[in-house]
């Protein structure tokens, strides 16, 4: 009976470990998409001089917008944007190349890009010159914290709570991801003693 109790307890511990590993794997997959895109952001910004506007747009702001516009980089229900390499919901104007959105309620011209990097460049250019981003440019010039950037986007966004939506993503996803001290194992795995100690405790 004692041996059976020990075995059942061990199975329970191992089961929890397996569940934790599954959860960790899923979260790491999610973070991998963010990590890859963040590297693309850094690579693109490195092409500009350090004094330029583009180089001074915070990485976490760019990553927040991309996370929001792509549905956490899954492009669920946004196959047009995926095919267009459009990570920021940018619509085509003038002679910009585009493909039509498949949304039956709105045939928007989704601007196409040759690569994710080109999409980042397009977004930086839009921020630098677009009238809707005047508040962002002022925030960058003043050295404001990124959390303050989002309020100035409400005047053009179709989503009425867009600033709050972006802040929520920034606070719940991006800040945690950008923290270099973030230890995924500590976040996802329960603290356990070595297996030998566990077995000794079961005796």
């Amino acid at each position: 009976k004692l041996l059976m109790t020990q075995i059942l307890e061990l199975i329970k511990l191992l089961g929890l470990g397996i569940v934790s590993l599954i959860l960790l794997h899923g979260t790491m997959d999610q973070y991998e998409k963010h990590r890859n895109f963040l590297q693309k952001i850094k690579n693109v910004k490195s092409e500009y001089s350090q004094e330029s506007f583009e180089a001074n747009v915070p990485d976490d702001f760019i990553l927040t917008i991309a996370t929001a516009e792509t549905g956490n980089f899954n492009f669920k229900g946004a196959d047009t944007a995926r095919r267009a390499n459009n990570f920021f919901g940018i619509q085509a104007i003038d002679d910009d190349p585009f493909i039509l959105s498949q949304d039956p309620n709105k045939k928007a011209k989704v601007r196409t890009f040759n690569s994710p990097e080109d999409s980042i460049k397009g977004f930086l250019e839009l921020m630098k010159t677009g009238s809707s981003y005047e508040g962002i440019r002022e925030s960058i010039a003043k050295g404001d914290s990124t959390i303050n950037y989002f309020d100035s986007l409400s005047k053009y966004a179709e989503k009425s709570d867009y600033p709050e939506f972006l802040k929520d993503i920034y606070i719940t996803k991006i800040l945690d991801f950008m923290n270099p001290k973030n230890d995924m194992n500590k976040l996802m795995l329960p603290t356990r003693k070595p297996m030998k100690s566990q077995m000794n405790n079961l005796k």
Side-chain angles (χ1 to χ4, degrees), residues 26 77 126:
L126 185 63

Side-chain angles (χ1 to χ4, degrees), residues 155-170:
K155 59 184 178 183
Y156 85 93
E158 296 177 9
K159 190 175 177 62
S160 59
D161 63 342
Y162 196 56
E164 289 72 28
F165 174 65
L166 291 174
K167 286 179 184 178
D168 183 60
I169 290 175
Y170 179 72

Side-chain angles (χ1 to χ4, degrees), residues 13-28 182-193 198:
L13 291 172
L14 288 174
L16 180 57
I18 292 170
V19 170
S20 299
L21 286 173
I22 292 172
L23 291 173
L24 176 61
H25 179 70
T27 303
M28 288 181 70
N182 183 10
D183 185 337
M184 293 301 298
N185 291 321
K186 291 180 181 178
L187 286 175
M188 297 302 300
L189 293 174
T191 302
R192 293 289 179 188
K193 296 179 181 179
Q198 293 179 24

Side-chain angles (χ1 to χ4, degrees), residues 110-124:
V110 179
R111 183 174 170 185
T112 60
F113 296 93
N114 293 326
S115 66
E117 288 82 359
D118 284 344
S119 180
I120 296 169
K121 291 177 183 178
F123 182 57
L124 289 172

